[in-house]
Amino acid sequence: MSGFERLATQVKAAALAGTLGALLNAVPAVAQTEYHHHHDHTKAKIVGGSAVGGAVVGGVLGGPKGAVIGAGVGAGGGLVANHVRTHRHHHHANRPR
């Protein structure tokens, strides 16, 4: 397999992973009517989903070792994203120094 063919395969795999992630994140009609169920374990969903996404991308690009590294990086990114999401309305401009 030439370098170009390998790159094309990796791009296709990444596109498939992105499409799959978008389909899995679609909110069903039941979740729209039952608000409280949608927010249960939100942090775990964000961190877990990010870890899976990182593992998929890392596995495609770097094999098994890349999958482990990608999962760690994805989980870390998910933690940061969740922190930003939960603290987005907290302004600390007037706090004492």
Side-chain angles (χ1 to χ4, degrees):
M1 179 178 278
S2 71
F4 179 75
E5 291 172 339
R6 182 174 178 168
L7 178 64
T9 303
Q10 291 172 349
V11 169
K12 289 177 188 177
L16 178 63
T19 304
L20 181 62
L23 290 175
L24 292 177
N25 285 326
V27 178
V30 174
Q32 293 175 357
T33 59
E34 297 180 18
Y35 179 79
H36 63 279
H37 290 297
H38 180 68
H39 290 282
D40 291 345
H41 308 292
T42 303
K43 181 178 179 181
K45 292 176 187 176
I46 291 172
V47 174
S50 299
V52 169
V56 168
V57 172
V60 168
L61 297 178
K65 186 176 179 182
V68 172
I69 295 170
V73 170
L79 281 172
V80 170
N82 186 61
H83 180 77
V84 169
R85 183 188 65 84
T86 56
H87 293 89
R88 66 180 171 222
H89 296 299
H90 297 186
H91 299 286
H92 299 289
N94 297 324
R95 75 175 176 203
R97 296 184 188 251

